């Protein structure tokens, strides 16, 4: 039986905010195509401001309102699709590629990612990680959004690994650590991205890493137990 690492994508291997900004630029390009007097950079700045003050949900509606396009549901849908389908300008955090290659020498790796399959596939393509990990699981396409353990169980089966020999690595306690507990894997929480400053939400990990590049050291630490 192999030792498997079941690794989250967003905010674990790269900065998800960079994806969001990349999507905003794609959307701004669409809007300024229709309203040529509107500066794309100004639109991006407005979308960031909306995101940071009022959160996700109605960002495109509000920005269209600002350019005088009012609430046009069809145009909003066009923009949502432009966002989801865009080819993101994103990159792995420094050292992540080398860490994945290092870990792959004595573990089998799978990425397990939540979110719309189209978006997540675009991210995986842009990050160029398919050659570094054995499998990529798109939870929503399995009808099993995190923390549903179904994708994790399937990943262990495909990697021929037992839960007690395997480790879930991710940034979101309520998704990644909760799934690890449900499946019976150990877990490492990375303190990167949106949840870095939050508490463990009742799902304490077995270890905490400042970033993904610290994971190899933790796995080789005897304190982490028989897993590594
Ligand atoms: Mg994540």
């Amino acid at each position: 039986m192999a030792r498997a690492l079941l690794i989250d994508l967003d905010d674990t291997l790269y900065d998800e905010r960079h994806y969001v900004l990349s999507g905003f630029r794609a959307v701004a390009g669409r809007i300024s195509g229709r309203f040529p007097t509107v500066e794309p950079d100004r639109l991006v700045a407005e979308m960031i401001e909306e995101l940071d003050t009022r959160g996700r949900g109605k960002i495109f509606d509000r920005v269209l309102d600002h350019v005088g396009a009012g609430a046009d549901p069809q145009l909003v849908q066009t923009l949502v699709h432009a966002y989801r389908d865009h080819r993101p300008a994103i990159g792995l955090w420094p050292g992540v590629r080398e860490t994945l290659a290092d870990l792959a020498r004595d573990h089998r790796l799978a990425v397990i990612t939540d979110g719309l399959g189209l978006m997540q596939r675009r991210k995986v393509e842009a990050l160029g990680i398919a050659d570094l990990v054995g499998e990529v699981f798109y939870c929503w396409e399995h009808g099993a959004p995190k923390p549903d353990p179904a994708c994790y169980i399937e990943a262990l089966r495909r990697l021929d690994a037992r839960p007690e020999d395997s480790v879930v690595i991710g940034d979101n306690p309520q998704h990644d650590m909760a799934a690890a507990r449900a499946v019976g894997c150990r877990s490492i929480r990375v303190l990167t991205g949106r949840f870095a400053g939050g508490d463990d939400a009742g799902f304490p990990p077995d270890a905490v890493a400042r970033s993904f590049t610290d994971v190899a050291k933790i796995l080789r630490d005897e304190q982490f137990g028989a897993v590594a």
Side-chain angles (χ1 to χ4, degrees):
M1 285 290 214
R3 290 177 296 180
L5 303 180
L6 310 180
I7 305 167
D8 173 54
L9 180 67
D10 296 323
D11 280 340
T12 294
L13 299 181
Y14 82 100
D15 189 341
E16 191 184 5
R17 189 170 169 91
H18 289 177
Y19 173 82
V20 174
L21 299 183
S22 171
F24 285 172
R25 285 194 291 273
V27 168
R30 286 295 184 94
I31 296 175
S32 63
R34 294 226 188 171
F35 305 94
T37 57
V38 181
E39 266 292 306
D41 287 350
R42 202 197 93 204
L43 290 172
V44 171
E46 284 182 14
M47 285 187 254
I48 294 169
E49 165 112 26
E50 285 288 341
L51 176 70
D52 291 341
T53 55
R54 294 199 259 187
R56 304 178 192 208
K58 293 278 177 195
I59 295 173
F60 302 158
D61 303 69
R62 295 204 189 95
V63 169
L64 284 178
D65 212 29
H66 294 175
V67 301
D72 177 346
Q74 205 173 351
L75 182 52
V76 170
Q77 271 315 302
T78 301
L79 299 180
V80 168
H81 183 71
Y83 181 89
R84 291 173 172 171
D85 195 38
H86 91 285
R87 296 187 183 272
I90 52 175
L92 297 169
W93 266 311
V96 165
R97 176 167 293 278
E98 294 76 8
T99 302
L100 285 170
D102 180 22
L103 294 171
R105 288 189 292 147
D106 45 6
H107 299 84
R108 292 192 183 157
L109 311 185
V111 163
I112 301 191
T113 184
D114 236 15
L116 196 72
L118 172 65
M119 292 165 60
Q120 302 311 100
R121 286 174 190 281
R122 293 272 187 255
K123 294 172 185 176
V124 167
E125 280 166 25
L127 295 169
I129 51 170
D131 61 326
L132 291 172
V133 298
E135 303 272 354
V136 182
F137 290 87
Y138 301 93
C139 298
W140 287 18
E141 293 183 354
H142 292 255
K146 295 181 183 184
D148 189 319
C151 258
Y152 293 82
I153 293 166
E154 175 63 9
L156 291 172
R157 191 187 68 75
R158 293 264 281 272
L159 298 178
D160 192 27
R162 296 181 302 197
E164 58 268 36
D165 297 327
S166 302
V167 181
V168 171
I169 302 158
D171 67 299
N172 183 337
Q174 287 179 291
H175 283 181
D176 306 306
M177 274 72 257
R181 183 186 289 180
V183 178
C185 292
R186 294 190 179 206
S187 63
I188 299 175
R189 178 184 174 190
V190 293
L191 296 180
T192 43
R194 282 192 293 152
F195 299 97
D199 63 22
D200 64 23
F203 298 100
D206 294 287
V208 173
R210 280 173 306 162
S211 72
F212 187 77
T213 53
D214 284 349
V215 164
K217 200 173 80 184
I218 290 169
L219 289 171
R220 286 172 190 140
D221 185 341
E222 289 183 10
Q223 293 290 316
F224 197 66
V227 174

